[in-house]
């Protein structure tokens, strides 16, 4: 590939395209599970592709990682044990390591090569992986979760789209298994796609979550490299509401948020206020 | 063009692409001012292009139109006279006509052909233009505004990007002229681009607004067809704050919002809670 070439991701049944001008192809390999590529682009910086689908980029990696970690952390009174499923780039783990009261952070990533490639090309994302509290499990998330009971305060499902081997991460059975792996007051966070281009049936995803959890809410944040950018996330909880921020944690967050690139407490409060299309589509 | 063809808009110095598969080209003409095209696409429905730049599409026209009209309406105690500059598709005007207490709505669109083409292909947008309170002025917005003093409660600047003949709609002089055309408690709403792809200098745009208005705030809403989707809007005001919603107006809006596709009062309250990147870039 040369300077003149473009990367295109086509989505929404092949009818929508996101394109970025390529500066350089930095890496390409075929792992046991998928094609892994890293390209440097003009508009979004370094971009990690799995089977040619956009995963992580310099331009917005902090949004996804900050909003999936700090939202549940701020509404759970005592987070000791965290599990991140998927997310081999390490960005979500990095955000959890910023909280000194968390005791263990398990990362389950089926493809170890994603972690290694991320260490090489996205060191700003993987910097948290060497924290002594982090335990990396190179295994299948669905199998792993079935073996755990009453163990985690927060589980983040950092998955790809609901197709191929990630499809199982959007089922009622999976959400029930996550529920069982959580303690009695646990919280699950998951990415739930774009409601304008509703290719995978967002209502069904939310209905599946509702079968497993008594409290299910949705919030949004921009993901520039994902189809349609306006991205939704699920907040499923056994006990805590997403806007009941723990007062004792506010002073430390007020300091931390000065160093963050997206998350702040005001934004947290606004992120659950949904436009009608988003609300209606998820059945809220 | 055939079924196999794509529409691409390249932005951010030509390095970023938005692509949509074309179903059919519905219209094309060269007006006195620009190339006007309407295409039917698979992912975003009918799409209006001016000089090949995306302007309005079925998928999200309601977002822009609802959020620029109802936000200022809900924080101004008595809206009598409204001006919309640009916006020949009529969508912003349509939203204002939903409020029966508004007395006059002036629409200044330099290119009458945009209005006529919109009437033909976007009748759901132009339906408000036949309201007897609407007065269409086919003239240049910058010249028009200079001739008006102390006349409007709300002015919406529904402009294209800050280049070519729209560049003048982002200057300190223009914002000062808008200020003069507003009454003592008037509000200006304008589109202020995408902060992740900061091609035009968003900080300078906000600084220009701040030189003309004592209260300047920013909010966000998704515009699927614009580069980067995460879209920012300016709220510039002589007196009213954007989160001080007029209590007397709430019951009527509670009814109206059931018919809207995006705006609701909760969303209004959340839209001004900005992520750090957005806040920092505009200097808030």
């Amino acid at each position: 590939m040369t300077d003149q070439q473009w990367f295109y991701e086509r989505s929404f049944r092949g009818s929508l395209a996101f394109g970025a001008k390529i500066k350089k192809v930095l890496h390409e390999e075929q792992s046991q599970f998928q094609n892994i590529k890293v390209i440097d682009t003009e508009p979004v910086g370094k971009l990690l592709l799995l089977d040619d689908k956009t995963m992580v980029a310099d331009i917005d990696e902090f949004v996804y990682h900050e909003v999936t970690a700090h939202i549940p952390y701020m509404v759970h009174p005592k987070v000791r044990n965290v599990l991140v499923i998927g997310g081999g780039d390490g960005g979500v783990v990095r955000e959890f390591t910023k909280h000194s009261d968390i005791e263990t952070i398990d990362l389950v990533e089926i493809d170890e090569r994603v972690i290694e490639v991320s260490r090489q090309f996205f060191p700003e994302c993987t910097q948290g992986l060497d924290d002594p509290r982090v335990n990396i499990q190179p295994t299948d998330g669905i199998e792993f979760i079935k073996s755990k009971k009453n163990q985690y305060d927060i589980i983040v499902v950092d998955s790809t789209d609901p197709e191929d081997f990630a499809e199982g991460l959007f089922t009622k059975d999976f959400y029930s298994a996550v529920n069982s792996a959580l303690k009695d007051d646990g919280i699950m966070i998951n990415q739930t796609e774009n409601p304008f281009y509703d290719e995978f049936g967002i209502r069904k995803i939310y209905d599946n979550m509702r079968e497993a959890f008594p409290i299910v809410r949705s919030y949004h944040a921009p993901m520039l490299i994902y189809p349609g950018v306006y991205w939704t996330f699920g907040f499923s909880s056994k006990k805590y509401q997403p806007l009941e921020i723990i007062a004792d944690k506010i002073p430390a967050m007020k300091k931390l948020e000065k160093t963050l690139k997206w998350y702040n407490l005001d934004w947290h409060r606004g992120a659950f206020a949904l436009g009608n299309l988003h609300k209606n589509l998820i059945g809220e």
Side-chain angles (χ1 to χ4, degrees), chain A:
Chain A
M1 295 190 181
T2 74
D3 274 14
Q4 294 311 307
Q5 278 195 289
W6 284 72
F7 162 75
Y8 286 106
E9 180 178 35
R10 294 183 205 280
S11 56
F12 201 48
R13 299 181 278 272
S15 69
L16 180 74
F18 163 83
K21 210 170 186 181
I22 297 172
K23 287 162 80 172
K24 197 174 178 185
V25 176
L26 300 174
H27 182 79
E28 181 162 12
E29 71 176 69
Q30 190 70 33
S31 80
Q32 186 187 340
F33 298 96
Q34 55 206 336
N35 180 277
I36 303 174
K37 214 177 287 173
V38 180
I39 58 179
D40 193 15
T41 72
E42 283 189 30
V44 302
K46 288 192 278 31
L47 176 60
L48 173 68
L49 305 171
L50 299 181
D51 285 340
D52 280 318
K53 296 187 78 165
T54 55
M55 291 295 133
V56 179
D58 290 339
I59 193 174
D60 64 356
E61 60 85 8
F62 52 89
V63 178
Y64 191 111
H65 301 142
E66 292 181 8
V67 309
T68 55
H70 302 307
I71 280 186
Y73 176 81
M74 289 305 292
V75 299
H76 191 294
K78 185 77 193 91
V79 181
R80 286 186 181 85
N81 310 108
V82 170
L83 169 63
V84 179
I85 298 175
D89 56 80
V92 180
V93 169
R94 176 194 67 203
E95 295 306 316
F96 280 117
T97 64
K98 292 176 180 172
H99 300 293
S100 59
D101 55 342
I102 295 178
E103 294 170 6
T104 67
I105 304 166
D106 290 349
L107 171 65
V108 175
E109 165 61 57
I110 197 170
D111 190 345
E112 283 184 281
R113 288 301 306 156
V114 172
I115 298 173
E116 292 314 309
V117 170
S118 297
R119 280 189 194 274
Q120 189 176 351
F121 295 101
F122 295 88
E124 65 284 7
C125 286
T126 58
Q127 61 182 263
L129 296 180
D130 297 321
D131 187 292
R133 296 170 292 171
V134 176
N135 170 31
I136 299 175
Q137 302 273 359
T139 185
D140 175 55
I142 295 171
E143 290 309 308
F144 182 88
I145 203 82
K146 284 184 195 158
S147 70
K148 300 291 174 183
K149 302 290 170 212
N150 196 32
Q151 192 159 329
Y152 296 103
D153 302 296
I154 294 171
I155 296 179
V156 176
V157 187
D158 183 357
S159 75
T160 51
D161 293 333
E163 54 188 6
D164 303 329
F165 62 82
E167 201 171 351
L169 299 172
F170 292 83
T171 62
K172 189 174 62 177
D173 285 353
F174 176 71
Y175 297 140
S176 294
V178 171
N179 181 302
S180 299
L182 285 166
K183 297 178 198 167
D184 285 347
D185 60 351
I187 299 169
M188 174 181 81
I189 300 289
N190 55 340
Q191 74 85 2
T192 53
E193 303 290 319
N194 180 308
F196 288 87
Y197 303 113
D198 187 24
E199 185 169 359
F200 301 105
I202 194 170
R203 177 59 186 268
K204 181 69 182 158
I205 297 171
Y206 275 83
D207 282 347
N208 287 346
M209 289 150 62
R210 288 183 187 108
E211 292 217 40
F213 287 90
I215 297 164
V216 173
R217 296 287 305 275
S218 185
Y219 63 103
H220 65 96
M223 283 305 302
L224 282 288
I225 60 165
Y226 292 169
V229 177
Y230 179 90
W231 216 252
T232 69
F233 298 87
F235 174 102
S236 302
S237 169
K238 296 191 189 187
K239 186 169 172 189
Y240 305 119
Q241 294 286 348
L243 296 182
E244 292 176 2
I245 290 170
I246 306 298
D248 286 354
K249 292 186 171 191
I250 292 178
M253 179 50 83
K254 285 274 180 201
K255 274 186 210 166
L256 178 62
E257 72 182 29
K258 290 189 185 120
T259 70
L260 300 178
K261 294 179 182 172
W262 193 260
Y263 179 93
N264 62 63
L265 289 162
D266 282 343
W267 176 84
H268 178 144
R269 295 184 187 102
F272 289 84
L274 312 181
N276 293 344
L277 176 139
H278 181 167
K279 268 173 77 168
N280 295 339
L281 211 57
I282 65 169
E284 197 167 273

